């Protein structure tokens, strides 16, 4: 049991390496020199009622984060998402709904991920720049977000 927990909380390098080769489009590990420190901040559910306060705290501390967005919660919050990108944050794909992916069929999961991915692409396109690696693809009509 202890070995199992060790692999979950501190996976060995060979496991990262295997996963990087097996799933090249998923970023699992960023090798850094031992002298370079890096903290990656991720915010789950970018459409939270606290988003403005979170952005203020991050700005006051010179920090940026990746905000994972739930597709079904985007309508009416497009300006907030554009504001996140404008301020140097990244958008990540949380899926269409806040549900356990394993409960979905492969087809449903892929469809939902692609739908949110198109919206993310469109938000980045409104700034004339590509989305972060791993979220590319043709987006929906720009009238969808009023870009």
């Amino acid at each position: 049991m202890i070995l199992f927990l060790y692999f979950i909380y501190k996976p060995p390098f060979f496991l990262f390496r295997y996963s990087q080769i097996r799933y090249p489009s998923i970023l699992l590990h960023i090798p850094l020199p031992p002298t370079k420190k890096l903290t990656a901040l991720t915010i789950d559910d970018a459409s939270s009622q606290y988003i403005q306060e979170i952005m203020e705290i991050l700005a006051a501390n010179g920090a940026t984060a990746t905000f994972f967005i739930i597709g079904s919660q985007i309508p009416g919050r497009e300006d907030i998402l554009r504001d996140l990108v404008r301020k140097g944050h990244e958008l990540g794909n949380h899926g269409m709904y806040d549900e356990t992916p394993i409960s979905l069929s492969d087809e449903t999961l892929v469809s939902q991920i692609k739908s949110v991915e198109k919206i993310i692409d469109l938000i980045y396109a409104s700034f004339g720049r590509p989305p972060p690696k791993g979220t590319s693809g043709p987006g929906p009509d720009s009238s969808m977000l009023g870009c």
Side-chain angles (χ1 to χ4, degrees):
M1 178 66 162
I2 291 175
L3 184 60
F4 174 74
L5 291 174
Y6 177 80
F7 271 78
I8 290 175
Y9 291 103
K10 184 131 175 82
F13 181 75
F14 77 85
L15 189 56
F16 278 117
R17 191 70 195 126
Y18 168 78
S19 297
Q20 284 177 312
I21 292 167
R22 179 82 168 95
Y23 308 103
S25 64
I26 300 174
L27 180 63
L28 299 168
H29 174 74
I30 301 174
L32 295 172
T35 57
K36 174 109 174 159
K37 301 292 182 187
L38 174 71
T39 300
L41 257 165
T42 62
I43 311 293
D44 192 21
D45 186 8
S47 56
S48 159
Q49 63 184 354
Y50 304 106
I51 194 68
Q52 293 297 339
E53 186 178 356
I54 292 170
M55 282 194 290
E56 290 171 13
I57 292 168
L58 290 170
N61 290 282
T64 58
T66 300
F67 288 81
F68 286 88
I69 60 174
I70 297 173
S72 64
Q73 297 177 0
I74 292 172
R77 295 183 170 104
E78 296 85 357
D79 288 340
I80 292 170
L81 299 177
R82 281 192 288 273
D83 199 30
L84 286 168
V85 173
R86 186 180 301 107
K87 292 180 178 180
H89 303 289
E90 290 186 350
L91 301 179
N93 191 336
H94 191 296
M96 186 54 73
Y97 305 98
D98 194 12
E99 60 191 344
T100 308
I102 200 160
S103 67
L104 304 172
S105 70
D106 289 349
E107 295 79 23
T108 300
L109 180 60
V110 168
S111 173
Q112 289 184 9
I113 289 171
K114 286 183 177 183
S115 294
V116 177
E117 186 175 294
K118 288 177 182 181
I119 296 169
I120 291 172
D121 289 350
L122 187 57
I123 291 168
Y124 278 94
S126 72
F127 291 97
R129 64 186 226 210
K133 184 178 178 182
T135 57
S136 60
D141 183 77
S142 62
S143 64
M144 181 176 174
L145 293 177
C147 297

